[in-house]
Every structure is written in structure tokens, then in C-alpha cells.
Amino acid sequence: MTADLPPGIERRRFDGRERFATRGEPVYGEPQDDAGWRAWDAGRSKLGAVLELGMDPGFDGEDSVLYLGAASGTTVSHVADFAGPTYAVEFAPRPTRDLLGVADSRPNLFPLLKDARAPETYAHVVEAGLDYLVQDVATRGQATVALRNRRFLAPDGRLVAAVKARSEDVLTDPDDVFADVLDELREGYAIVETRRLDRFHDDHLAVVAEPQA
Ligand code: SAM
């Protein structure tokens, strides 16, 4: 399956190779063409890998997004290029400083120096009824983070999470770790699709899910 692309994401040629691209200020040394499209590097971005592997989160180009684990903005910069209001939560001060720079040219990107395990600390800033919760926190308790932040999603919103097995448990087989994470996620979500991202990111599982009442 190939993702149905919203207006702000295109397939463009860079150095003779077709890649996904969004339009905006470059952030991490990615190539940019004369029309302002910049390559979305699937090797640097789990969400980029999700698209490259043909998963379709269903973005429509106007989506409101809460992004958890924004780091210095590699992926969330692409999201803000094609989406509507994009809230970007990161709890480490140093990457958040870079993230503030990324937001300079993106008025719809709102960096928040917050802990994603404590959504009540940003519930006064982040609107409810969001279209997407995108998560890449690479920390223990990834399912718990997704469940705690479900409150921000619209009933027909979606979770798109990259789950890193080694962040949960370095010794256990990743398949067993993913099974446990999916079991916990089912306490609040219906799983729509999963896909291993190993071609681009070792021992990562992408999960698309819908909130359940
Ligand atoms: N999503 C980023 C990208 O593609 O550009 C990379 C994210 S990196 C794999 C994981 C990030 O999650 C780190 O920057 C880490 O500081 C952040 N993180 C981990 N636990 C967190 C938490 N509880 N709250 C907020 N950020 C967290």
C-alpha cells in the first residue's frame, strides 16, 4: 500500500532518487530542491520510515498534531511543514533549544519543554480534539505515555507511534516486547496497523491506532 499523500507531502527527486519531501526551511542538512522541497530522510525519522514503507496514517494536510519526543526537531519539522497546529513535547532542555530555532520559521509549531508522562502539565496549552498523536519517545513505558495522552485525541483521531523495543527491555526478544506494548495499548486503543521499521530503524515497531471509548 502507498500512502495517500496530503497536499504538503510530495515525492520528489533528490540526487536521482525519489523521496518523500515537505516544503520548509532545512533543519538537519537534508537536500532541498529549487522549489523549496526538502528531502525527508527515512533513516533519520521513524515517521519518514512509516511513509517510506507504505503505511498510511491518513494525514490530510490540515491535521492538528501533538508530537511526543520531538528532540531537536528532525521529524516534527516535516510534520509542521504539512500539518496545522503542531504541539511538540520534549523534556530534554538542550534539544528543545534547537527545536525553538526550528519553530522560528514555522508559526504553527509550538515547542513545549515538558515530560510526556505528565500530560496534565501541558493540558492548559494543548487543545483537545486533536487529529493525531505522534509518538517517538524511546523511553520505558511507551504504551503508558500513549494512553496518558489519549485525552488530547478526537474520537476519530489517530495515534502513530514508533515503539523502540530496547527502551522497554534490552534482554527480551523485541517481538515479545512489542506484544506486551500492544496488549497495554489495547487498554485504550484499537490497533489499526503495525509494521516493523527495521529496514531503517533496528528493533522498532510502528503502530497506527484509534482511541477507544
Ligand atoms: N522524534 C525525534 C525525531 O525523529 O526527530 C527523535 C526522538 S528521540 C528517538 C526520543 C526523544 O524523546 C529524546 O529527545 C528524548 O529526550 C525524548 N523523551 C524521552 N522521554 C520523554 C518524556 N517522558 N517526555 C518528553 N520527551 C521524552
Side-chain angles (χ1 to χ4, degrees):
M1 181 170 68
T2 305
D4 200 7
L5 297 180
I9 306 179
E10 286 198 3
R11 293 291 280 176
R12 310 282 295 190
R13 283 195 95 73
F14 297 92
D15 305 323
R17 192 157 61 89
E18 261 207 3
R19 297 160 78 172
F20 286 100
T22 65
R23 225 171 183 167
E25 282 286 311
V27 170
Y28 53 100
E30 70 283 18
Q32 188 175 39
D33 68 17
D34 292 343
W37 292 89
R38 59 193 187 96
W40 191 339
D41 187 341
R44 300 274 302 269
S45 165
K46 278 108 208 183
L47 189 57
V50 161
L51 296 177
E52 203 63 56
L53 292 171
M55 289 179 88
D56 186 1
F59 296 125
D60 77 6
E62 298 290 323
D63 313 289
S64 48
V65 180
L66 173 59
Y67 190 105
L68 305 177
S72 49
T74 300
T75 299
V76 79
S77 65
H78 286 291
V79 173
D81 284 351
F82 73 80
T86 302
Y87 302 94
V89 172
E90 170 56 54
F91 75 171
R94 203 192 156 116
T96 305
R97 273 209 301 277
D98 297 336
L99 187 59
L100 289 169
V102 171
D104 276 347
S105 63
R106 295 176 173 85
N108 60 324
L109 176 59
F110 307 106
L112 298 166
L113 179 60
K114 295 288 182 189
D115 187 334
R117 292 168 298 193
E120 64 279 5
T121 63
Y122 45 86
H124 60 294
V125 181
V126 177
E127 61 196 279
L130 296 177
D131 299 310
Y132 282 92
L133 175 60
V134 181
Q135 180 176 312
D136 180 20
V137 286
T139 186
R140 200 176 176 134
Q142 292 164 95
T144 305
V145 169
L147 288 166
R148 286 188 188 167
N149 284 274
R150 188 184 60 143
R151 62 193 276 176
F152 298 107
L153 273 179
D156 62 348
R158 282 191 156 191
L159 166 72
V160 184
V163 178
K164 183 176 181 177
R166 275 184 293 128
S167 296
E168 299 292 337
D169 188 335
V170 280
L171 298 176
T172 305
D173 185 308
D175 282 334
D176 295 334
V177 173
F178 296 143
D180 287 348
V181 169
L182 290 173
D183 272 351
E184 189 181 340
L185 278 177
R186 286 190 186 95
E187 290 169 19
Y189 291 94
I191 309 298
V192 175
E193 192 181 359
T194 65
R195 186 81 55 94
R196 291 281 293 247
L197 299 179
D198 296 67
R199 196 174 122 207
F200 298 102
H201 302 277
D202 286 344
D203 298 333
H204 279 75
L205 183 76
V207 180
V208 176
E210 289 170 347
Q212 276 190 322

